[in-house]
Amino acid sequence: MRENDLSKDRMLIALGGLLHDVGKFIQRAKREKGESVMAERKELFGYAHAEESFRASKEIIHLLELDKSDDSINLILSSSFHHVPNTKHEEVKEELFNVRALFRVADWYASVERSDELESEKRDAFKRLRPVFESIDIGKGKASQEFFYTLAPLSNTKEVIFPVAREEAQDYVSDEEDPLYKEYYGSYSELYEDFKRALKNYKNKRFKSISHALNFLYYTMYKYTWCVPASIYDRENYHSHYPDISLFDHSRIVSALATSLYTSGNLGKLRNYADNRRDEFAKQLKIIILEGDVSGIQKFLYDIANIKGSSKRLRGRSIFLSLLPDLIGRYILKSLGYPWINLIYSGGGKFQAIVGWEENIEDRLKDLSKEVERLLIKEFKGKLGFVLYFKVMSLDELMGYHMVVKDLMGEGEKAKLRKFKNWLESYENLVEYGHSGAEKLCPSCNWELIPDDNELCSWCELFEEVGSCIPKSRYVAFTESRNKKLDHRGFCLEGMGGVYFLREEDLKYLSDKDEVYVINDTDSFEEDPYAVGFKFIANTVPLKEENGETTIKTFEEIAEESDGDKKIAFVRADVDNLGFIFMKGLGNKYTFSRVATLSRSLDLFFSGYLTSMFEKEFGGKIYTVYAGGDDLFIVTDWSTALKAVLRIREELNEYTCFNPNIGLSCGVFLTHGSYPIRIASESAERAESEAKSKEGKDSINALGETLSWQDVKEALEETEEILGKVGEELGRTNMYRIYLLLKNYKKLREKGDDRRFMFYPFFYYYLSRNVKESNRAMVEELFIDKDKDYEVKDRAVFNSKYILLRTRDVRY
């Protein structure tokens, strides 16, 4: 272990972790082509795939132009010996044996999900990845069908990332010779050839270092092995593993665990490692799972005045907040000497990471937490807070990961009660960041004091500038320090690093330490001379041309695009019972790798796929405030909003294998375009809470009514049909009268008051007086369920409100 080069060594270890099982990818590609996959030196590697990994790793080291010294190469290649760290067939230096043993235990504890408890009917040789969503059950039963992912390079399109019903594929494809086989199942050999071609592009990169090589390999692995199962049923090797963890997810977890075990204390304990004492050694190896939580996000995001430029400033704020956990997590990991890929999850104001235990590391983590807190107080005066909490644990505790999560949740609750504790203890800290010559509050955020001749505070100005440039940006770059030439295109926190949104012409201002990612494009990063990967960012906004420039539409302009009444909709939605799904839904399959897979898969839908869907199906109509993790907040005209949320629910249902345990609750609040953003967001949040209060959740509150998704879908279909056929005949006045009758009926029904039945004579009077006999049944069906003894439909009030909104400015 080279203390002076610890960060570099850990990056080499991380590279090895990503490559340790790449031989499985190669094996399946060879088998598909009928080639031999027998091990030549089984005594050294244990399995043929490990020997394949060794050969492939040597080739990839060359392609990534890595340091060819023995020490560097051996650190990476040690991962190929993760099944047999030491044998009587070769002499292994102690230091090298320790690293091989490190990969051995990292691989095993990253693979504890490989249960042999498969139902007999599932023990087949089907070599495709199964969705983690398929087996989730919190009491409603698992998915009714079997699904799999087609082998295809990752993109944020439905054709690639949505699972395929196995029964459907079998109906259309007879065997591997069928021309449709590759369309449904994909090809291992073609995917692996694409993977090799992609790696060859590294030679054309402008910036090259171990860090850049690691990032490039990470995203290339993500693109090409996200759909490759890490393990499958293998009769030859006596495996009956349920294949719901991808090779990418397994490899990134092995990388994170391996780098965390690369500490002097852990390596010393691995000196005499033996497989028959694996559990004993695992009890001695120490790691730390840490979580960071940025607080105050909701209030910070929405506490913004609806004055000129507000839509741009909201966009800038939301992007800043979505990337802040990433920025903080990277800063903490770098400060401790770990690569950023030890960041297991980042989104929704939180991040989770793994590091190794070392002497005094608890104090270092507390100091780093205090420094982040100091920076946020300095810049935002307490509007944003930060807490860091962690669990020091032995490696074997990953076997009971649900208890680890429970302990972390407890630590998190305690940490949140101590927010700002370090700074409140010192009066000097409270006055350190005072204002000089301040005369007034910033009219946009209403909390920053600014000189009288300034229009906005510096952060609001920056949010507006960045919000304006994001729609035209192709790249996002993470930097170690401030880049003054790009000040107007991103954010930087002193000492922590920066994030910048760039066009091609801005790339010349970057340094060779910066990391560049293509936004929402998995295809071009390989050949792009600057990019090392891709990043999904929910960045859709309605645009307009103004004075020869492309800019973001105001909320007033968005409202004007509504059908009927010119209102805007603020929409919030999130996955129901997610904490319970994580804790109980996976049952005895609750493992570190599965939780990481589930988190990544949900985030891919919200931050990746929805952006693609919004652009494809709704053009430039959706303003995405945020979408990522398991939730979203969008703004659009009210008539588009209802169609959009229905499509989101339909697509989430299909994406999660139609699993009845995975629901979505949504709140839709309608108002005029100049309404205060903070109040509108709070109203949308209350509407979402109303939806969640419905029994079973998985509902939507819109137009003040809480209904099932199916009810709203049917309501839109039948009201649009009515408007097309008898809108003029019915008229707004009569509809308003019916609405008042329905509103009163609902109120009396909730009280159990029999006077509600007076609704019927009045309703049928209006119907017979104002609607032609040939159309009366259609209008009646809009509000009355004749199959249920003429009960008023649950969606009747919603239907009447919808028609009133749709016909506000319509001339029949």
Side-chain angles (χ1 to χ4, degrees):
M1 182 173 178
R2 302 176 294 182
E3 293 291 346
N4 294 334
D5 236 345
L6 192 55
S7 294
K8 177 184 175 183
D9 283 359
R10 283 187 178 137
M11 280 190 272
L12 293 168
I13 294 286
L15 283 160
L18 290 176
L19 294 171
H20 82 288
D21 265 351
V22 73
K24 291 182 177 180
F25 193 7
I26 300 169
Q27 267 190 327
R28 292 173 205 159
K30 283 185 173 182
R31 280 185 177 135
E32 192 175 81
K33 295 190 292 185
E35 297 177 13
S36 171
V37 293
M38 297 296 293
E40 295 176 9
R41 294 181 290 172
K42 190 170 183 178
E43 72 281 0
L44 291 183
F45 297 99
Y47 292 93
H49 76 263
E51 188 173 345
E52 292 281 12
S53 295
F54 180 78
R55 287 193 288 266
S57 295
K58 291 174 76 172
E59 182 181 350
I60 291 170
I61 287 170
H62 173 72
L63 291 174
L64 296 179
E65 301 178 18
L66 294 166
D67 182 0
K68 301 302 191 296
S69 68
D70 288 343
D71 287 340
S72 295
I73 290 178
N74 285 334
L75 281 177
I76 299 173
L77 294 180
S78 291
S79 68
S80 301
F81 297 88
H82 62 277
H83 287 294
V84 187
N86 196 9
T87 75
K88 61 185 179 181
H89 299 281
E90 63 165 349
E91 266 190 46
V92 182
K93 293 181 181 177
E94 180 182 293
E95 185 174 332
L96 196 55
F97 169 75
N98 294 346
V99 176
R100 290 184 178 184
L102 169 158
F103 279 114
R104 173 63 171 154
V105 293
D107 176 66
W108 200 89
Y109 280 93
S111 310
V112 294
E113 77 279 348
R114 294 179 188 171
S115 165
D116 284 336
E117 299 176 3
L118 277 183
E119 297 88 341
S120 58
E121 66 268 19
K122 291 184 180 178
R123 293 190 177 194
D124 57 32
F126 188 56
K127 297 177 175 61
R128 294 297 183 269
L129 181 68
R130 306 286 287 274
V132 71
F133 303 110
E134 196 179 64
S135 56
I136 288 171
D137 185 7
I138 56 172
K140 297 181 181 180
K142 300 177 182 180
S144 60
Q145 300 183 65
E146 293 183 16
F147 292 82
F148 68 92
Y149 291 109
T150 302
L151 293 170
L154 180 70
S155 76
N156 60 348
T157 61
K158 182 173 183 174
E159 295 74 19
V160 170
I161 63 172
F162 275 51
V164 177
R166 193 171 175 187
E167 187 177 329
E168 176 192 332
Q170 289 170 339
D171 286 343
Y172 283 94
V173 181
S174 55
D175 54 47
E176 294 188 20
E177 302 303 317
D178 192 308
L180 288 175
Y181 183 85
K182 287 183 181 178
E183 181 180 330
Y184 276 90
Y185 295 98
S187 164
Y188 274 109
S189 57
E190 290 182 9
L191 192 64
Y192 182 66
E193 288 303 314
D194 289 342
F195 172 70
K196 287 199 299 183
R197 275 193 294 272
L199 288 171
K200 291 176 182 177
N201 286 304
Y202 186 76
K203 65 179 183 294
N204 300 318
K205 299 295 178 184
R206 296 284 180 87
F207 302 151
K208 294 179 183 177
S209 67
I210 294 178
S211 176
H212 288 102
L214 176 59
N215 288 336
F216 184 72
L217 178 61
Y218 178 93
Y219 282 98
T220 305
M221 289 283 291
Y222 187 8
K223 179 176 178 178
Y224 292 101
T225 67
W226 76 275
C227 54
V228 174
S231 188
I232 55 174
Y233 175 67
D234 187 341
R235 188 185 302 275
E236 180 185 339
N237 292 308
Y238 307 102
H239 293 163
S240 54
H241 300 151
Y242 185 70
D244 63 341
I245 306 297
S246 71
L247 181 58
F248 167 71
D249 283 309
H250 171 65
S251 299
R252 72 185 179 101
I253 297 301
V254 169
S255 281
L257 287 176
T259 55
S260 299
L261 293 173
Y262 195 71
T263 65
S264 56
N266 284 329
L267 286 172
K269 292 182 176 69
L270 285 167
R271 191 173 293 122
N272 299 308
Y273 174 80
D275 264 356
N276 59 3
R277 295 167 57 205
R278 180 186 60 218
D279 295 343
E280 176 189 330
F281 278 94
K283 284 180 169 62
Q284 301 173 46
L285 300 171
K286 284 176 143 185
I287 61 172
I288 296 176
I289 296 185
L290 57 96
E291 294 188 351
D293 192 335
V294 180
S295 60
I297 282 181
Q298 299 291 328
K299 184 171 176 57
F300 182 87
L301 179 57
Y302 307 126
D303 202 0
I304 176 175
N306 202 350
I307 60 176
K308 184 179 179 182
S310 61
S311 62
K312 298 172 186 175
R313 288 192 295 280
L314 183 62
R315 176 87 293 237
R317 280 190 181 206
S318 90
I319 287 289
F320 169 72
L321 291 170
S322 69
L323 293 174
L324 183 58
D326 214 339
L327 196 61
I328 295 172
R330 285 167 174 258
Y331 163 70
I332 289 173
L333 287 170
K334 182 173 172 44
S335 300
L336 296 172
Y338 290 88
W340 75 262
I341 67 170
N342 280 46
L343 204 59
I344 303 303
Y345 171 77
S346 176
K350 298 179 181 180
F351 68 83
Q352 184 187 74
I354 308 180
V355 297
W357 183 88
E358 300 174 76
E359 196 171 337
N360 300 320
I361 192 167
E362 291 100 327
D363 291 334
R364 292 181 68 192
L365 285 169
K366 289 173 184 175
D367 288 343
L368 287 167
S369 178
K370 185 175 178 180
E371 177 60 14
V372 173
E373 198 173 52
R374 181 190 73 79
L375 285 168
L376 294 181
I377 289 175
K378 176 184 176 182
E379 297 294 343
F380 306 112
K381 313 302 184 291
K383 287 286 184 177
L384 291 175
F386 176 73
V387 292
L388 184 72
Y389 45 96
F390 51 87
K391 177 178 174 61
V392 179
M393 55 186 279
S394 60
L395 187 64
D396 76 311
E397 288 182 74
L398 286 178
M399 293 293 291
Y401 186 60
H402 63 287
M403 292 304 300
V404 174
V405 173
K406 186 177 179 181
D407 290 345
L408 279 169
M409 288 172 66
E411 290 298 320
E413 291 304 314
K414 288 189 286 186
K416 288 169 189 176
L417 295 175
R418 300 192 299 267
K419 187 175 68 171
F420 300 135
K421 176 179 178 289
N422 294 322
W423 294 92
L424 291 172
E425 288 174 345
S426 170
Y427 175 75
E428 288 76 13
N429 287 333
L430 295 177
V431 300
E432 179 182 354
Y433 305 121
H435 297 266
S436 175
E439 301 290 342
K440 65 177 183 180
L441 284 171
C442 170
S444 176
C445 62
N446 289 308
W447 55 265
E448 182 73 56
L449 290 167
I450 59 174
D452 198 42
D453 56 350
N454 284 22
E455 289 187 15
L456 300 171
C457 69
S458 58
W459 274 104
C460 284
E461 286 180 348
L462 184 57
F463 288 142
E464 186 170 340
E465 288 178 331
V466 175
S468 298
C469 74
I470 286 172
K472 296 169 279 188
S473 298
R474 174 171 168 74
Y475 305 93
V476 59
F478 285 85
T479 67
E480 291 185 359
S481 57
R482 177 184 174 190
N483 189 323
K484 292 183 179 180
K485 293 180 180 178
L486 298 171
D487 269 351
H488 63 293
R489 301 197 67 87
F491 321 100
C492 185
L493 292 173
E494 170 201 343
M496 188 184 296
V499 183
Y500 295 92
F501 297 88
L502 311 174
R503 304 157 300 182
E504 281 195 40
E505 56 264 39
D506 301 313
L507 296 171
K508 60 189 175 187
Y509 300 119
L510 296 174
S511 79
D512 58 4
K513 292 184 178 180
D514 299 334
E515 296 171 4
V516 181
Y517 303 90
V518 182
I519 297 173
N520 297 334
D521 180 2
T522 59
D523 289 333
S524 61
F525 84 94
E526 300 160 9
E527 296 181 1
D528 190 291
Y530 288 90
V532 292
F534 52 87
K535 194 160 187 69
F536 295 123
I537 297 176
N539 63 349
T540 57
V541 288
L543 300 174
K544 64 178 180 180
E545 293 296 322
E546 187 174 75
N547 300 323
E549 289 190 6
T550 303
T551 186
I552 300 174
K553 289 179 181 177
T554 65
F555 289 154
E556 290 91 338
E557 289 168 331
I558 294 172
E560 284 298 313
E561 296 180 353
S562 296
D563 294 332
D565 206 351
K566 304 306 179 187
K567 291 187 180 297
I568 197 167
F570 288 76
V571 181
R572 295 181 59 147
D574 72 352
V575 175
D576 294 324
N577 306 312
L578 192 62
F580 194 47
I581 286 172
F582 274 111
M583 291 296 292
K584 299 293 183 181
L586 294 169
N588 59 3
K589 294 179 180 178
Y590 191 94
T591 65
F592 188 40
S593 292
R594 277 205 176 91
V595 171
T597 297
L598 183 54
S599 296
R600 179 191 62 75
S601 299
L602 280 172
D603 186 68
L604 177 60
F605 177 83
F606 282 95
S607 67
Y609 174 66
L610 287 185
T611 299
S612 168
M613 189 195 87
F614 289 162
E615 290 174 348
K616 183 178 180 180
E617 297 190 21
F618 298 98
K621 290 198 160 208
I622 306 289
Y623 183 116
T624 307
V625 181
Y626 65 76
D630 71 308
D631 59 355
L632 62 88
F633 186 0
I634 62 174
V635 181
T636 184
D637 68 87
W638 79 269
S639 51
T640 296
L642 294 175
K643 297 169 189 171
V645 294
L646 281 172
R647 288 293 297 125
I648 292 167
R649 181 64 191 100
E650 289 168 353
E651 294 297 87
L652 179 65
N653 195 29
E654 186 175 348
Y655 183 78
T656 56
C657 307
F658 303 97
N659 190 311
N661 300 276
I662 302 173
L664 185 78
S665 289
C666 175
V668 182
F669 174 70
L670 273 56
T671 185
H672 53 81
S674 59
Y675 198 72
I677 294 170
R678 178 180 61 81
I679 300 175
S681 67
E682 290 171 353
S683 298
E685 184 177 16
R686 283 194 294 272
E688 184 185 14
S689 296
E690 284 293 320
K692 285 188 177 293
S693 68
K694 184 177 172 69
E695 186 178 355
K697 301 183 180 180
D698 196 21
S699 304
I700 175 173
N701 180 281
L703 313 189
E705 305 298 315
T706 300
L707 299 168
S708 70
W709 289 100
Q710 185 61 29
D711 266 339
V712 173
K713 181 181 180 181
E714 291 178 7
L716 295 192
E717 290 171 354
E718 60 195 11
T719 50
E720 287 296 329
E721 184 181 6
I722 286 286
L723 287 169
K725 292 183 178 179
V726 296
E728 182 177 3
E729 188 177 330
L730 197 55
R732 279 181 56 80
T733 301
N734 288 318
M735 180 50 65
Y736 186 69
R737 287 171 180 162
I738 292 173
Y739 160 67
L740 291 177
L741 285 175
L742 288 165
K743 183 180 177 183
N744 189 53
Y745 174 89
K746 181 183 176 184
K747 182 179 177 181
L748 293 171
R749 184 175 63 180
E750 288 171 353
K751 294 179 179 180
D753 193 327
D754 286 345
R755 288 179 295 172
R756 68 184 182 276
F757 296 115
M758 289 302 295
F759 162 80
Y760 291 97
F762 282 107
F763 172 72
Y764 281 104
Y765 171 76
Y766 289 139
L767 198 62
S768 63
R769 183 178 176 85
N770 298 290
V771 179
K772 292 177 183 177
E773 187 175 353
S774 59
N775 292 326
R776 285 174 196 165
M778 184 187 299
V779 177
E780 180 186 23
E781 193 176 339
L782 195 60
F783 305 110
I784 305 294
D785 192 338
K786 291 192 286 187
D787 294 333
K788 293 186 177 180
D789 199 21
Y790 284 79
E791 283 185 12
V792 174
K793 290 184 176 180
D794 289 339
R795 59 179 179 266
V797 177
F798 178 92
N799 288 350
S800 62
K801 288 180 179 179
Y802 182 81
I803 290 173
L804 288 170
L805 283 165
R806 277 282 280 110
T807 57
R808 177 61 183 267
D809 292 322
V810 176
R811 298 290 182 266
Y812 289 109

